C-alpha cells in the first residue's frame, strides 16, 4: 500500500513537472520581453489594484484620526444619501448629456480625419497636417482651456471681434448655459481628434494594398473603395473603440470641465468629477466620494458588458 502511494505521488509529480518546466523555459526564453512588461504590470498593481482596498470607505463613516479600519461601518448610508439628493440626479444627467454629445459628434471625427489623411497623396502635406492636428493633445487643459476662453472672451476674443465686424452684439459664451456643452464638445474635438486618429490610421495601414489594386482594375472609384474595402477594414477597430467609449459615459475629464466652467453654468456643466472634487477635497466627505466612484465603476462595467454583448451579437468582434 505504501509503495502504491509513493508511485502515485511520483506519477503526479511527473505529470505536473513537464508543464511547469515548459512554462519556466518559455519565460527564460523571452525573459527580456517580460522585463519590458514588468513596469506596466507594476503600474497597474500599484495605481489600479491596490487602491481598490480604499473602496471599503464607501461603506464606512471615514475619519482621518480613526483610519480606514477604525472608522465605523454605516452600510449603504452614503448610497442612500446620493439617491435622495436632487443635485446628484442633475449632476448625473449633466455627465450623461455631455458624454452622449461627445459620442455622437466627437467620436466620428477621428475616424473621418484618419480617412481623409489616408487619401492624401502628398507625403509632405500629410505629415504637416498630422503634426498640426496631433499637437493640441500634448497641451494641458490649463493651457488649451485658457486659449478657448481667450478666443471666446467678450472683450478681446477673436470670435466676438468677428461678430462686431459683422455688426452683431458680442456674446458672453462662457457664461451662457446654452453654449457651454457645445463648447466642451468642440474643444474636445479640437484637442483629441488628431491623436485619436492614430489608432484608425494604424488600422488602415493593415489593409492589404492588393485589394485596392484589384478594385482599380475592376473599375471601382474612390467612394466604392471606401465603402467596400476601407470601412470594412477598420470596422473591428471602430467597434472596439466604441465599446470602450460607452464604458466612460459617466466619466467626464475633470481638468477640461474645471477649467471651462464657472458658477453661472453649474446647471449644465457640473459633472460627477467636479462634484467629487468639491465634496471630496473641499468638504472632506471622502466616504461619499468613494460611494460615487464605486457607483461610476459599476455603471461603467454594466455599460461595457452590455455594449460588448451587443457587438458580439451583431458582429464577429468583441472585447471578450
Amino acid at each position: 500500500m505504501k509503495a502504491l502511494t509513493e508511485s502515485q505521488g511520483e506519477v503526479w509529480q511527473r505529470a505536473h513537472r513537464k508543464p511547469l518546466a515548459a512554462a519556466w523555459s518559455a519565460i527564460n526564453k523571452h525573459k527580456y520581453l517580460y522585463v519590458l512588461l514588468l513596469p506596466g504590470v507594476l503600474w497597474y498593481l500599484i495605481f489600479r489594484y491596490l487602491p481598490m482596498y480604499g473602496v471599503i470607505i464607501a461603506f464606512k463613516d471615514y475619519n482621518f484620526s480613526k483610519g480606514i479600519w477604525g472608522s465605523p461601518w454605516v452600510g449603504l448610508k452614503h448610497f442612500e444619501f446620493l439617491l435622495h439628493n436632487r443635485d446628484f440626479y442633475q449632476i448625473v444627467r449633466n455627465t450623461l448629456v455631455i458624454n452622449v454629445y461627445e459620442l455622437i459628434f466627437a467620436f466620428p471625427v477621428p475616424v473621418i480625419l484618419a480617412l481623409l489623411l489616408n487619401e492624401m497623396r502628398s507625403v509632405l502635406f500629410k505629415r504637416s497636417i498630422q503634426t498640426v492636428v496631433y499637437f493640441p493633445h500634448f497641451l494641458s487643459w490649463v493651457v488649451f482651456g485658457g486659449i478657448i476662453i481667450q478666443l471666446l472672451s467678450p472683450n478681446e476674443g477673436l470670435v466676438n471681434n468677428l461678430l462686431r465686424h459683422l455688426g452683431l452684439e458680442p456674446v458672453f459664451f462662457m457664461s451662457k448655459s446654452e453654449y457651454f456643452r457645445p463648447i466642451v464638445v468642440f474643444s474636445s474635438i479640437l484637442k483629441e481628434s488628431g491623436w485619436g486618429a492614430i489608432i484608425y490610421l494604424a488600422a488602415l495601414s493593415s489593409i492589404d494594398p492588393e485589394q485596392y489594386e484589384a478594385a482599380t482594375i475592376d473599375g471601382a472609384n474612390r467612394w466604392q473603395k471606401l465603402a467596400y474595402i476601407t470601412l470594412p477594414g477598420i470596422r473591428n477597430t471602430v467597434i472596439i473603440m466604441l465599446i470602450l467609449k460607452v464604458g466612460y459615459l459617466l466619466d467626464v475629464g475633470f481638468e477640461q470641465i474645471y477649467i471651462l466652467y464657472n458658477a453661472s453654468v453649474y446647471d449644465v456643466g457640473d459633472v460627477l468629477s467636479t462634484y467629487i472634487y468639491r465634496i471630496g477635497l473641499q468638504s472632506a466627505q471622502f466616504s461619499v466620494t468613494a460611494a460615487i466612484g464605486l457607483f461610476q465603476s459599476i455603471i461603467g462595467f454594466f455599460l461595457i458588458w452590455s455594449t460588448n454583448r451587443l457587438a458580439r451579437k451583431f458582429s464577429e468582434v468583441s472585447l471578450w
Side-chain angles (χ1 to χ4, degrees), residues 148 152 173-174 179-188 260:
I148 297 295
L152 300 176
F173 290 101
M174 303 307 299
Y179 294 120
F180 181 76
R181 288 169 179 166
I183 290 171
V184 170
V185 176
F186 183 68
S187 60
S188 295
L260 295 178

Side-chain angles (χ1 to χ4, degrees), residues 38-152:
L38 185 61
V41 173
L42 289 176
W43 186 90
Y44 269 95
L45 287 174
I46 295 171
F47 295 104
R48 294 297 183 184
Y49 285 95
L50 288 180
M52 288 183 182
Y53 159 75
V55 170
I56 63 174
I57 69 173
F59 306 96
K60 290 186 165 225
D61 194 3
Y62 178 68
N63 186 292
F64 262 126
S65 60
K66 296 179 181 179
I68 293 179
W69 287 110
S71 300
W73 291 94
V74 294
L76 300 176
K77 171 186 172 182
H78 302 300
F79 295 94
E80 292 174 359
F81 166 76
L82 294 175
L83 294 176
H84 291 89
N85 188 343
R86 293 182 180 180
D87 292 338
F88 181 71
Y89 287 100
Q90 179 65 34
I91 290 164
V92 171
R93 180 177 178 274
N94 292 341
T95 306
L96 283 173
V97 169
I98 290 176
N99 272 318
V100 169
Y101 282 175
E102 291 200 353
L103 189 64
I104 295 172
F105 298 107
F107 181 79
V109 175
V111 181
I112 297 171
L113 182 59
L115 294 173
L116 293 174
L117 289 171
N118 189 59
E119 291 296 322
M120 290 183 180
R121 295 295 174 258
S122 174
V123 177
L124 178 61
F125 184 67
K126 179 180 179 179
R127 289 179 178 175
S128 300
I129 295 297
Q130 284 178 303
T131 302
V132 172
V133 296
Y134 292 170
F135 179 71
H137 170 79
F138 298 99
L139 297 176
S140 69
W141 271 111
V142 175
V143 176
F144 194 79
I147 294 172
I148 297 295
I149 293 171
Q150 187 62 34
L151 287 173
L152 300 176

